[in-house]
C-alpha cells in the first residue's frame, strides 16, 4: 500500500514538473480576471485549467451514446446545460420535480476542465450511467480523439461576438480582485478583437465547430443563442431530435415543450435559491452566472468606432464560411 502511494506521489510530482516546463515554453498574456492565459495548442487557456485539459485529452474515453455540450464562455452555457439535461431526462423528471429546482445546471452537467479533471483528479467515468452528458469550452481541434472518432453527439451553442464580449467583460469584472483595479472596457475590447480571451480566439472557436457541423450534421449540432431567444420551442425540438429523443405529438399537445422552456427560463433559474449562493464553477459565484440574458445589450456599451472595428473583423473572419451572426432581434 505504501509503495503504491509513493509511486502515485512520484508520478504526480513528475507531472507537476512537466506542466511547469510546458508553461515556461508557452506564450502568455495577462488574464482579464487575474493570473495568466497561456497559448496552448493554438488557444488561450487559463493557467489552472491546462493540467485538467491535458488530463482530459489523455484519459477521456468517449462512448457513442455520450453528448458533449460545447460553448465559448458566456455564450449561454448554463441555459444549454439546463435545456439539454431536461430534454434528455424528461421521462424521469417533470418540471415540478426536476433537480434544477435545487441543483445548479453546472453540477448536473459537469465540465471536463473545471470539474471532472480539475485539481489533478482522474475520475472513473465508466461508472456514469448512460447516456452520459458532459460539457467543455475546449476548441474542436483540441478535443480528445475519442470524442472525434466515437460517433458521439456534440451540441455547440454560439453567441454573437458583440453580446459575448459584453457578457465576458461583466463576468470577468465581477471576479477580478479589487487590488487590480477595474477592468476597463476599452482595454478588454482591444484584447478581444486581437483574439485574447479564455479558450479563444473567439472566431477560431466558433468556426471550428461550425465547419464540423456542416461536414457531420448527424454528429455535431450548431445552435445560436439568438435563434433560441427568438423561438425557443422550435430550437428545443431540433435539440430533442438531435439527441435521439424527439418530442411526440402527444407531448407537444400536453405542453411538455413549454414546460421545459419555462423551467429553464432565465428568470426562473435566476430566482432559484441554489443559483443565488455558492460556487458550482471555481472562482465564480453562482449568482454571477445570471446577468441579463438579452440579445442586443451591447448597444448600451460599445461606441460607434468599436462597432465598426468588430464588424470589419466579423466580415473578414466569416468570409466564405456561410456563418452569419444576429446582433439583435
Amino acid at each position: 500500500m505504501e509503495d503504491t502511494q509513493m509511486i502515485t506521489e512520484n508520478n504526480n510530482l513528475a507531472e507537476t514538473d512537466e506542466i511547469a516546463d510546458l508553461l515556461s515554453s508557452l506564450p502568455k498574456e495577462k488574464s482579464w480576471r487575474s493570473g495568466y492565459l497561456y497559448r496552448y495548442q493554438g488557444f488561450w487557456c487559463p493557467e489552472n485549467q491546462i493540467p485538467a485539459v491535458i488530463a482530459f485529452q489523455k484519459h477521456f474515453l468517449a462512448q457513442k451514446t455520450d453528448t458533449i455540450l460545447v460553448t465559448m464562455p458566456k455564450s449561454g452555457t448554463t441555459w444549454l446545460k439546463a435545456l439539454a439535461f431536461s430534454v434528455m431526462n424528461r421521462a424521469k423528471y417533470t418540471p415540478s420535480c426536476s433537480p434544477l429546482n435545487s441543483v445548479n445546471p453546472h453540477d448536473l452537467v459537469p465540465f471536463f476542465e473545471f470539474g471532472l479533471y480539475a485539481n489533478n483528479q482522474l475520475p472513473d467515468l465508466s461508472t456514469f450511467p448512460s447516456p452520459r452528458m458532459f460539457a467543455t469550452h475546449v476548441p474542436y481541434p483540441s478535443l480528445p480523439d475519442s470524442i472525434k472518432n466515437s460517433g458521439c453527439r456534440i451540441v455547440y451553442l454560439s453567441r454573437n461576438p458583440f453580446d459575448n464580449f459584453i457578457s465576458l467583460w461583466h463576468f470577468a469584472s465581477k471576479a477580478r480582485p479589487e487590488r487590480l483595479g477595474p477592468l476597463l472596457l476599452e482595454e478588454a475590447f482591444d484584447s478581444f478583437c486581437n483574439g485574447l480571451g479564455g479558450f479563444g480566439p473567439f472566431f477560431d472557436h466558433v468556426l471550428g465547430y461550425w465547419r464540423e457541423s456542416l461536414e457531420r450534421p448527424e454528429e455535431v449540432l450548431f445552435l445560436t443563442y439568438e435563434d433560441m431567444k427568438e423561438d425557443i420551442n422550435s430550437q428545443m425540438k431540433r435539440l430533442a431530435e438531435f439527441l435521439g429523443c424527439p418530442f411526440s405529438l402527444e407531448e407537444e399537445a400536453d405542453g411538455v415543450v413549454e414546460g421545459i422552456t419555462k423551467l429553464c427560463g432565465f428568470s426562473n433559474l435566476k430566482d432559484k435559491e441554489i443559483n443565488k449562493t455558492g460556487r458550482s464553477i471555481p472562482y465564480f459565484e453562482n449568482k454571477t452566472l445570471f446577468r441579463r440574458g438579452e440579445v442586443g445589450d451591447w448597444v448600451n456599451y460599445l461606441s460607434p468606432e468599436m462597432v465598426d472595428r468588430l464588424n470589419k473583423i466579423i466580415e473578414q473572419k466569416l468570409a466564405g464560411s456561410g456563418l452569419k451572426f444576429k446582433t439583435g432581434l
Side-chain angles (χ1 to χ4, degrees), residues 32 72-75 158-169 188-189 192-193 201-204 206 224-226 295-298 302 306-307 309-315 317-318 323-328:
W32 293 5
M72 274 291 284
K74 304 312 296 173
S75 291
S158 74
R159 191 177 191 183
N160 80 72
F162 292 96
D163 283 321
N164 178 252
F165 165 70
I166 292 299
S167 188
L168 276 171
W169 175 64
F189 183 77
F192 181 84
C193 288
F202 173 88
F203 293 97
D204 291 355
V206 175
T224 74
Y225 189 90
E226 294 74 28
V295 177
D297 188 41
W298 58 269
L302 301 182
M306 289 175 166
V307 174
R309 179 182 179 184
L310 189 48
N311 271 327
K312 289 178 179 177
I313 294 173
I314 292 172
E315 184 178 358
K317 295 292 186 180
L318 300 190
L323 178 61
K324 295 182 180 180
F325 292 116
K326 292 180 181 177
T327 56

Side-chain angles (χ1 to χ4, degrees), residues 99 148 157 170 179 181 199 237 270 296 312:
K148 299 175 185 177
L157 178 61
H170 277 288
R179 59 183 169 77
F199 301 94
K237 293 175 186 177
K270 185 177 183 178
K312 289 178 179 177

Side-chain angles (χ1 to χ4, degrees), residues 68 77 83 107 127-128 196 198 221:
I68 313 297
T77 313
L83 288 168
D107 293 318
T127 61
F128 274 49
L196 182 63
L221 176 66

Side-chain angles (χ1 to χ4, degrees), residues 31-35 37 46-49 73-74 77-78 104 106-107 111 113-115 137 167-177 183 197-199 274-290:
S31 168
W32 293 5
R33 184 175 56 84
S34 64
L37 296 174
E47 178 178 355
N48 291 337
Q49 271 58 66
K74 304 312 296 173
T77 313
T78 308
N104 184 275
H106 294 287
D107 293 318
F111 273 115
E113 64 273 18
F114 291 103
H137 289 318
S167 188
L168 276 171
W169 175 64
H170 277 288
F171 192 58
S173 295
K174 291 175 183 176
R176 186 178 169 94
L183 176 61
F199 301 94
I274 186 64
N275 297 326
K276 297 178 181 179
T277 60
R279 283 183 170 90
S280 295
I281 301 175
Y283 321 115
F284 300 103
E285 295 180 89
N286 285 346
K287 64 183 180 181
T288 67
L289 301 174
F290 303 88

